Amino acid sequence: MAECKTNAMRILERNKVAYVMHSYPPGDSVDGVTVAAKIGWPVELVYKTLVTKGKSGDTFVFVIPVARELDLKKAAKAVGEKAVEMIHVKDINRVTGYIRGGCSPIGMKKQYRTVIDQSAEPLERFLVSAGKIGFQVELKPTDLRDLIGASFADLTMK
């Protein structure tokens, strides 16, 4: 696959955050479990970026393992909201600047409050979208946290 540098990668470089780019041939399916298989990484080390809207009207971003489901009650509690709900797919580009399947927690139109699932905190490395379908970045979860001002919390259904 051709070399590609996404906005997320440029931000990582500008901030001197070490990362490794991984690419895969994009296909019909952009779900994270398929991405993990295409890259050859364990599914528990590949994370997806989900965008929500709180009762207050604020936007919140959650980064969770691709094979897990966001617990909306835990997510709301993590950001101090009464409730959060997923934004509509048609609104992803307008809100984040990214498209569905290529949404990265790095380099959105605005830096929204972001929470990373606590399962990532002890990991040495994990993968998140690089901001374009077909590209992922491997980095330390703590480096991502520090770069975007995120926090860790229990976010997924058991």
Side-chain angles (χ1 to χ4, degrees):
M1 188 164 228
E3 187 67 25
C4 173
K5 188 140 315 176
T6 66
N7 190 41
M9 291 178 209
R10 286 191 274 290
I11 291 168
L12 289 167
E13 289 172 6
R14 190 173 341 130
N15 288 280
K16 297 178 176 34
V17 175
Y19 75 93
V20 176
M21 187 268 291
H22 295 269
S23 62
Y24 59 93
D28 296 335
S29 178
V30 291
D31 73 276
V33 173
T34 301
V35 168
K38 285 183 176 189
I39 291 177
W41 268 59
V43 71
E44 56 275 355
L45 298 179
V46 181
Y47 282 58
K48 59 188 172 185
T49 304
L50 303 174
V51 184
T52 66
K53 175 111 16 215
K55 282 285 186 202
S56 65
D58 290 343
T59 299
F60 301 98
V61 177
F62 298 97
V63 180
I64 68 168
V66 294
R68 304 292 301 269
E69 194 172 331
L70 182 66
D71 182 317
L72 294 173
K73 287 183 180 180
K74 288 179 181 178
K77 182 179 177 187
V79 294
E81 286 278 330
K82 288 191 187 299
V84 296
E85 61 183 31
M86 299 298 296
I87 66 168
H88 293 287
V89 172
K90 67 178 176 55
D91 294 329
I92 290 174
N93 183 260
R94 180 183 55 78
V95 171
T96 68
Y98 291 122
I99 61 168
R100 180 181 183 270
C103 191
S104 177
I106 306 162
M108 290 188 183
K109 285 183 176 181
K110 180 180 172 194
Q111 185 57 64
Y112 299 109
R113 182 160 172 206
T114 303
V115 182
I116 304 166
D117 188 66
Q118 68 185 9
S119 62
E121 194 169 12
L123 299 177
E124 184 58 38
R125 313 286 285 171
F126 76 153
L127 292 176
V128 295
S129 174
K132 183 175 180 180
I133 294 173
F135 297 91
Q136 297 277 306
V137 287
E138 169 191 346
L139 71 163
K140 292 180 180 178
T142 52
D143 284 350
L144 176 62
R145 174 201 62 202
D146 295 347
L147 177 68
I148 62 174
S151 57
F152 291 105
D154 179 16
L155 299 173
T156 60
M157 295 185 179
K158 297 296 175 209

